[in-house]
Amino acid sequence: MTDLREALDRLLEPVPPKRLAESVQRLIADYRSGRPADEPLIRNMVDATAYAAYRMPATHAAVGAVLEQLGDSVDPRSILDVGGGSGAATWAAIERFPGIQEMTVLDQVPEALKLGQRMLPRATWQEWHLGEPLSTVDMVLVSYVLGELTEDAQRDLVEAAGAAAEQAVVIVEPGTPLGYRRILEARDRLIAGGWTVAAPCPHQQACGMTGKDWCHFTARINRSALHRRLKSAELGYEDEKFSYVAVTKDVAATNDQGRVVRHPAFRKGLVTLQVCNPDTTVGPTLVSKREGPRYKQARDAQWGDEWPQPSE
């Protein structure tokens, strides 16, 4: 199957890079200005194309990383990508779950939907506005949407997603303190609705992170030459920070593994892992070279992994 990068390259080829860059800069300025959510940032097809070039790789990487954490606890055949724009989360879902047969992307911006349809014609692309009903599907994806809504609208959308999904709900937000706060509120609402947190939390209780810390993760994206130009960047990669919650109906999805919530720290003969534990505590776990196989696991552990690693 053609991957997202190839589809984006074909889409962007006929568009002058200068026009894309100008549109990207305006979109960034409008986004940071705090414009009301009922005034779409994307005004035309150039804007939609610029936004796809600028944001799709990062959204795709973050959602893909989240879906990997679901393991075998779900096997969706149908998905809804709510507020999905040009479909980055849908691309991540069908790569992770190739058995998906029905995929629907909902968004209020027709230009984004038209653009997405050009890249992935086998999906259903449907104009949709807040408050309109959601069809029943196996999995509902809501990525980078809540931050654009009022608190009441966030609550309503989370409840609607929980009511529409039969196997899983996945919500992703920017990895900022505010994004994390929105995730916590969504998490509480979904648990109250009978869902079980499959990731990242190893428990169903109140979050153990306190003070100035917040739970977030990172996904690395390799930048194309055009991506670097649009972002006025020099590095060939970027790290997308995100917060998320993934819930399922499968109570067995919870386990005794904690979650590594920061980059591991290495010293000679010692690895320090910051771990969120099943008892709700969050703190350092030290693993020395004397511990043999466990030390090797710790050396291989990455931010976002379960700890200890599940037995195969």
Side-chain angles (χ1 to χ4, degrees):
M1 183 186 69
T2 303
D3 65 19
L4 177 60
R5 177 61 59 83
E6 292 176 3
L8 267 177
D9 286 347
R10 285 200 302 271
L11 189 74
L12 300 173
E13 188 176 0
V15 185
K18 183 178 179 181
R19 289 191 67 191
L20 283 177
E22 290 171 350
S23 187
V24 163
Q25 294 309 311
R26 185 192 65 75
L27 288 169
I28 293 172
D30 281 357
Y31 184 79
R32 291 175 177 172
S33 71
R35 291 181 59 195
D38 58 356
E39 298 181 20
L41 297 179
I42 296 173
R43 304 170 183 171
N44 51 50
M45 188 56 73
V46 173
D47 283 354
T49 306
Y51 188 82
Y54 182 74
R55 278 300 304 168
M56 279 190 81
T59 300
H60 172 265
V63 176
V66 171
L67 296 179
E68 283 295 326
Q69 300 303 325
L70 284 173
D72 298 326
S73 61
V74 296
D75 185 22
R77 292 293 185 268
S78 58
I79 64 168
L80 274 180
D81 185 357
V82 182
S86 48
T90 294
W91 279 89
I94 60 179
E95 289 167 7
R96 173 62 183 85
F97 300 108
I100 291 174
Q101 298 171 355
E102 299 177 12
M103 61 210 80
T104 302
V105 183
L106 306 177
D107 204 272
Q108 66 174 340
V109 182
E111 291 80 7
L113 295 169
K114 292 174 184 175
L115 194 76
Q117 188 170 30
R118 287 166 59 187
M119 291 189 289
L120 191 63
R122 66 188 181 100
T124 298
W125 302 83
Q126 182 177 330
E127 190 170 343
W128 174 88
H129 297 271
L130 285 169
E132 295 178 355
L134 300 178
S135 301
T136 300
V137 293
D138 291 337
M139 182 165 64
V140 175
L141 306 168
V142 184
S143 57
Y144 297 91
V145 174
L146 298 184
E148 300 177 4
L149 308 179
T150 65
E151 291 186 2
D152 286 345
Q154 290 176 36
R155 178 200 64 222
D156 292 345
L157 180 54
V158 170
E159 291 182 350
E166 294 191 330
Q167 290 189 24
V169 179
V170 174
I171 300 179
V172 183
E173 282 289 296
T176 63
L178 286 176
Y180 171 55
R181 189 179 306 166
R182 292 190 290 268
I183 289 295
L184 279 184
E185 291 170 356
R187 176 186 183 272
D188 290 346
R189 197 165 298 280
L190 290 166
I191 290 174
W195 290 90
T196 298
V197 178
C201 316
H203 58 78
Q204 310 299 307
Q205 308 306 313
C207 178
M209 283 197 168
T210 57
K212 297 181 179 180
D213 206 355
W214 70 98
C215 184
H216 65 289
F217 304 90
T218 185
R220 176 153 292 187
I221 306 103
N222 293 322
R223 289 173 171 151
S224 66
L226 176 59
H227 204 194
R228 290 198 300 272
R229 287 199 300 272
L230 291 177
K231 292 200 167 187
S232 300
E234 296 181 359
L235 293 176
Y237 65 89
E238 65 179 84
D239 291 324
E240 172 71 6
K241 293 181 179 179
F242 60 92
S243 295
Y244 77 96
V245 63
V247 299
T248 74
K249 292 292 188 181
D250 183 8
V251 177
T254 58
N255 53 47
D256 294 332
Q257 275 74 41
R259 180 80 58 181
V260 179
V261 293
R262 285 295 179 273
H263 281 305
F266 301 95
R267 292 167 52 191
K268 186 176 181 180
L270 184 69
V271 180
T272 302
L273 304 174
Q274 193 76 5
V275 178
C276 175
N277 297 295
D279 64 2
T280 78
T281 60
V282 181
T285 294
L286 277 60
V287 184
S288 74
K289 195 172 183 178
R290 293 192 298 269
E291 296 181 66
R294 192 166 184 264
Y295 175 75
K296 185 179 184 303
Q297 277 196 343
R299 292 281 301 179
D300 293 338
Q302 299 181 29
W303 186 0
D305 285 352
E306 291 180 327
W307 180 262
Q309 292 292 306
S311 301
E312 296 187 2

